[in-house]
Structure formats: structure tokens, C-alpha cells
């Protein structure tokens, strides 16, 4: 898995089983967002405890019904090895099937974000992209992203950054200190 990821970021996500309605929409969505993932240097990998032949047949259905081309792998985790390593089976939900776990993994192979949804609730893949955008922005700039942030929106300066000279250098457009600990500034990638 780590070799396959190479220098890319990764989104690894599980669903309860093949040929399930919510999972069909989710994989279709992920497929339609392939270009968005590629632009962010993200490789996508789905997982369920069904086998390869089942995955192959299901992919045909997903492509047909979701107007998508699934062009990322689906791990056939029949022995549940991956599911157990990533704690994707929650015995209160099912002792055999995976729940909707999702991990964003960085190029150093660190898990950076985890979301877990129950079988009844399909995930919001725009939120997954937003998570990737936030992680990639905050890795390179001394900022964090506020609630409901969207790319291009204002960000907060991390509280640990107190040196005014460095703040001026990093954020030439300045900042607004709503409180000493809440300093808003524009996305540092924006041209002023
Ligand atoms: C689904 O993926 O559609 C699903 C799976 C289990 C229960 C309900 C929905």
C-alpha cells in the first residue's frame, strides 16, 4: 500500500459491501471527482470485504448508474486484514462488515484525518476534498482553517506564531486580531 502511494497523498475509504445503494453513489462520486483528486496529488483506494470478481461486476453497475468511470482500485479485503488494521469493523454495527471509515494519508504515510460514518449515511466527498485542501495549505503555511472554511477564504494565524517580523513576512497583507488568540488573515497563497 505504501509503495503504491509513493509520493502521493492517499484517501482510503471503506463501505459495508458491494451492490449496496449508498456505496454505489459514493464510489460514483469519488470516480467523478478523480480529476480533483489528481490535481491535489491524491490517490484514491476503496475497500470492502467482498472479492475481486464481485468488485469487477459492481464497478460496471457503478459506471452505468452513476455516469462515472471508476478508475481507482477497490481492495478486495476478503480476509479483513486491511479492515482490521485500520479498525474499520465496529462490532456494534456488524461483526463482519466494514463501516464507512475514511482516512486521509500524507506522503510521509501518516494518517492525518479520519472520518467514520454509519452505513445509513453517505459521505460528503466535497468535505473530503476540503480536508485535503486544509491539510495541504496548513502544512506549508503557519495557519489553520476555521470552521466551514473553503479554499480562498480567510484563515487563522496559528497561536504559536508570535514573532511580529515573521508575521509581516508571512502575511504581507496584514491580519485582524479579533482577540489576541484569534487572528484572521487572507489565504497566504492569494496575491495581495
Ligand atoms: C449501503 O451502502 O447502501 C448500505 C449498506 C448497509 C445498510 C444500508 C445501506
Amino acid at each position: 500500500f505504501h509503495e503504491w502511494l509513493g509520493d502521493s497523498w492517499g484517501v482510503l475509504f471503506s463501505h459495508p459491501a458491494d451492490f449496496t445503494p449508498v456505496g454505489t453513489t459514493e464510489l460514483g462520486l469519488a470516480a467523478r471527482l478523480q480529476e480533483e483528486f489528481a490535481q491535489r496529488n491524491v490517490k484514491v483506494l476503496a475497500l470492502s470485504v467482498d472479492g475481486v470478481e464481485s468488485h469487477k461486476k459492481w464497478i460496471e453497475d457503478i459506471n452505468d448508474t452513476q455516469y462515472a468511470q471508476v478508475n481507482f482500485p477497490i481492495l478486495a479485503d476478503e480476509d479483513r486484514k486491511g479492515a482490521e488494521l485500520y479498525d474499520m469493523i465496529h462490532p456494534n454495527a456488524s461483526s463482519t462488515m466494514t463501516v464507512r471509515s475514511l482516512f486521509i494519508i500524507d506522503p510521509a504515510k501518516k494518517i492525518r484525518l479520519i472520518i467514520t460514518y454509519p452505513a445509513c449515511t453517505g459521505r460528503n466527498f466535497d468535505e473530503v476534498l476540503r480536508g485535503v485542501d486544509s491539510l495541504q495549505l496548513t502544512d506549508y503555511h503557519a495557519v489553520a482553517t476555521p470552521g466551514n472554511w473553503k479554499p480562498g477564504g480567510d484563515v487563522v494565524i496559528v497561536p504559536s506564531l508570535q514573532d511580529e517580523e515573521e508575521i509581516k513576512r508571512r502575511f504581507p497583507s496584514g491580519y485582524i486580531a479579533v482577540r489576541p488568540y484569534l487572528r484572521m488573515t487572507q489565504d497566504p497563497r492569494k496575491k495581495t
Side-chain angles (χ1 to χ4, degrees):
F1 176 46
H2 285 181
E3 267 172 38
W4 174 78
L5 278 177
D7 293 331
S8 301
W9 288 68
V11 167
L12 166 66
F13 69 104
S14 59
H15 51 275
D18 293 355
F19 300 101
T20 46
V22 177
T24 301
T25 62
E26 287 188 319
L27 269 81
L29 264 173
R32 292 205 304 275
L33 290 172
Q34 266 304 287
E35 188 54 38
E36 295 289 334
F37 284 116
Q39 278 170 15
R40 292 161 175 82
N41 188 30
V42 177
K43 285 185 179 170
V44 172
L45 177 62
L47 177 153
S48 79
V49 295
D50 298 296
V52 174
E53 288 314 313
S54 164
H55 285 345
K56 283 184 178 165
K57 289 202 184 82
W58 187 37
I59 285 171
E60 288 173 20
D61 271 8
I62 298 167
N63 290 345
D64 273 0
T65 62
Q66 305 303 306
Y67 308 103
Q69 279 298 318
V70 173
N71 49 9
F72 54 82
I74 309 177
L75 231 160
D77 193 28
E78 283 179 294
D79 63 2
R80 299 183 210 134
K81 198 169 168 189
E84 276 163 19
L85 281 170
Y86 280 83
D87 207 15
M88 293 165 164
I89 292 175
H90 290 242
N92 287 349
S94 157
S95 57
T96 53
M97 286 194 301
T98 43
V99 292
R100 296 185 199 287
S101 300
L102 185 146
F103 303 86
I104 299 179
I105 299 165
D106 72 14
K109 317 295 181 284
K110 279 208 175 110
I111 294 174
R112 299 287 300 278
L113 187 152
I114 302 176
I115 60 171
T116 307
Y117 274 39
C120 60
T121 308
R123 285 159 289 206
N124 181 334
F125 279 78
D126 292 334
E127 172 63 1
V128 176
L129 287 172
R130 197 187 77 95
V132 171
D133 285 335
S134 171
L135 289 167
Q136 292 185 344
L137 170 66
T138 58
D139 270 5
Y140 299 113
H141 300 276
V143 297
T145 58
N148 276 2
W149 171 82
K150 288 202 181 100
D154 286 352
V155 296
V156 299
I157 299 174
V158 290
S160 58
L161 181 55
Q162 292 295 331
D163 184 282
E164 283 300 329
E165 284 308 309
E166 190 180 344
I167 290 175
K168 262 192 214 136
R169 186 173 55 74
R170 283 180 176 274
F171 310 108
S173 66
Y175 67 89
I176 294 170
V178 183
R179 287 287 184 275
Y181 61 84
L182 175 54
R183 298 168 300 173
M184 304 298 300
T185 189
Q186 74 173 33
D187 183 329
R189 297 168 304 186
K190 262 190 182 171
K191 302 266 176 284
T192 45

